[in-house]
Amino acid sequence: MSSATELIHSIPVDPLTGAISVPIYQTSTFVQDAPGVNKGYDYSRSNNPTRAVLEQLIAKLEKGSVGLAFSSGLAAIDVIIKLLKTGDEIVAVDDIYGGAFRLFNSVYEQFGIKVNYVDTSDIQKVFDAVTSKTKLIWLESPTNPTLKISDIAAIAKIAKANNSLLCVDNTFASPILQQPLSLGADIVVHSATKYLGGHSDLIAGLVVAKDPELGAKLKFYQNACGAILAPFDSWLTIRGIETLHLRIKQHCASALEIAKYLEQHPAVNKVYYPGLTTHPNHEVAKKQSTGFGGIISFTLHNDTEAAAIALVQETELFKLAESLGGIKSLISHPANMTHKSIPAAKRRANGVADSLIRLSIGLEEHEDLIADLALAFNRIENSTIKEKANAFTSV
Ligand SMILES: *Cc1c(COP(=O)(O)O)cnc(C)c1O
């Protein structure tokens, strides 16, 4: 059976009524037959039938044993860090999602959990960074916004030899393109706010554990800490996943066309897209994933914030916004948006240049998106970038 067919039929028909859409069990509690005797559900923080469908679905898609749904991607990440204790250390990808960086450094550091950030696309650096205190290796692949790829299978071997857990934030790839548990990871986490939800209409997070015992521990923390996903948002996420296969296919196909267009544009300096043979990690990406995703970053020859700020305001189809993975294409300027809280020197050292622009390719026709970018480039050329920048800073 093809994976698209399997995905669609992994979403069960309601056994009680035959409803073909998963029912939304909007209830806090469940009536018991006798004290402690129930139909498998007693309180919706602990378990809810709508959420359970989503949790089983993501476990299946990621080829794990236990799936868990949370009220945000960060709530999902938070529960994973709760597996650690004071004195434990994390080795994490340097080009990490800003919210995860804030959680690690501004929340968990004060509890005595240290994080060592390294360029995980270089296996040797991971190997050199792990110590006997390293209990968790944290990857994102591809990363945000420079789309670095780490060799998940090779790092899984390092983790195993060191008795560390390996967790992969699979948000950018989605389980359609990459299944880290099959490559040796122990835990996968998603911001389902992005591709899984797919319509920019909810905030949600998902965790999948490979090992049932580890899954049970995480489920304990899910219930004990309480940041569960509500029934309606669980339903929205399921509804998003129903079309995930088709959407990802289109995101990937359009992104490759747009990356090629940008690569030959005279105003563009570097293009970051793992599907381009010029991408430094292209071979690893090809080995471990079945596609290269819908995110592209690029820098301008005029490597100034002013030039990038001017350009991102001139597109019409690409909407200026944070986030990614929805049906509408988005454009952003990380230095002034998602990565603003990172000191400029550190941000630049991580490859986030002043002129770096990130695109989330939506489901519009790629010809229209290319025309939109061409229009924006032309407008910038026809006006003086300085004027635009001044107009922006005086707002
Ligand atoms: C958005 C994002 C998160 C955080 O998810 P929220 O749903 O916003 O809490 C974590 N990791 C990555 C890679 C993300 O893009």
Side-chain angles (χ1 to χ4, degrees), residues 95-270:
D95 193 17
I96 194 169
Y97 175 71
F101 180 83
R102 182 177 53 202
L103 179 68
F104 292 174
N105 287 54
S106 304
V107 179
Y108 280 101
E109 204 174 74
Q110 65 187 338
F111 296 115
I113 292 168
K114 259 180 46 190
V115 188
N116 185 3
Y117 296 94
V118 299
D119 178 358
T120 54
S121 67
D122 183 341
I123 302 298
Q124 189 61 41
K125 288 193 175 146
V126 179
F127 188 80
D128 293 342
V130 294
T131 70
S132 59
K133 287 184 175 171
T134 308
K135 299 298 181 218
L136 178 64
I137 299 179
W138 191 274
L139 297 183
E140 283 174 33
S141 188
T143 61
N144 174 29
T146 61
L147 302 156
K148 280 198 271 190
I149 307 288
S150 297
D151 188 332
I152 297 171
I155 295 172
K157 282 188 192 138
I158 297 174
K160 208 134 284 158
N162 198 60
N163 253 326
S164 319
L165 292 171
L166 172 60
C167 178
V168 179
D169 183 332
N170 206 26
T171 299
F172 271 43
S174 91
I176 302 297
L177 300 181
Q178 174 172 284
Q179 294 162 351
L181 300 184
S182 305
L183 297 165
D186 301 288
I187 307 170
V188 162
V189 63
H190 280 282
S191 169
T193 309
K194 317 292 166 55
Y195 286 108
L196 299 180
H199 295 73
S200 307
D201 55 7
L202 90 155
I203 302 284
L206 297 169
V207 171
V208 182
K210 184 157 64 183
D211 170 58
E213 230 172 274
L214 181 62
K217 247 190 207 171
L218 289 163
K219 182 160 177 61
F220 171 82
Y221 285 118
Q222 180 196 37
N223 183 49
C225 303
I228 45 106
L229 192 63
F232 181 66
D233 288 352
S234 297
W235 181 84
L236 272 178
T237 310
I238 295 166
R239 186 181 164 91
I241 292 174
E242 285 175 342
T243 56
L244 183 64
H245 212 282
L246 206 52
R247 286 188 287 107
I248 292 289
K249 214 190 228 176
Q250 189 60 47
H251 288 304
C252 290
S254 296
L256 184 61
E257 294 302 324
I258 293 164
K260 284 182 188 159
Y261 162 77
L262 289 169
E263 213 178 21
Q264 55 74 51
H265 196 285
V268 172
N269 184 11
K270 278 190 199 152

Side-chain angles (χ1 to χ4, degrees), residues 63 198 330 361-362:
K63 304 214 161 47
L330 302 179
I361 307 303

Side-chain angles (χ1 to χ4, degrees), residues 288-314:
Q288 70 185 14
S289 55
T290 57
F292 307 106
I295 308 296
I296 305 168
S297 293
F298 63 97
T299 61
L300 303 173
H301 282 300
N302 178 356
D303 187 27
T304 61
E305 291 203 0
I309 287 168
L311 187 71
V312 299
Q313 294 177 97
E314 293 295 353

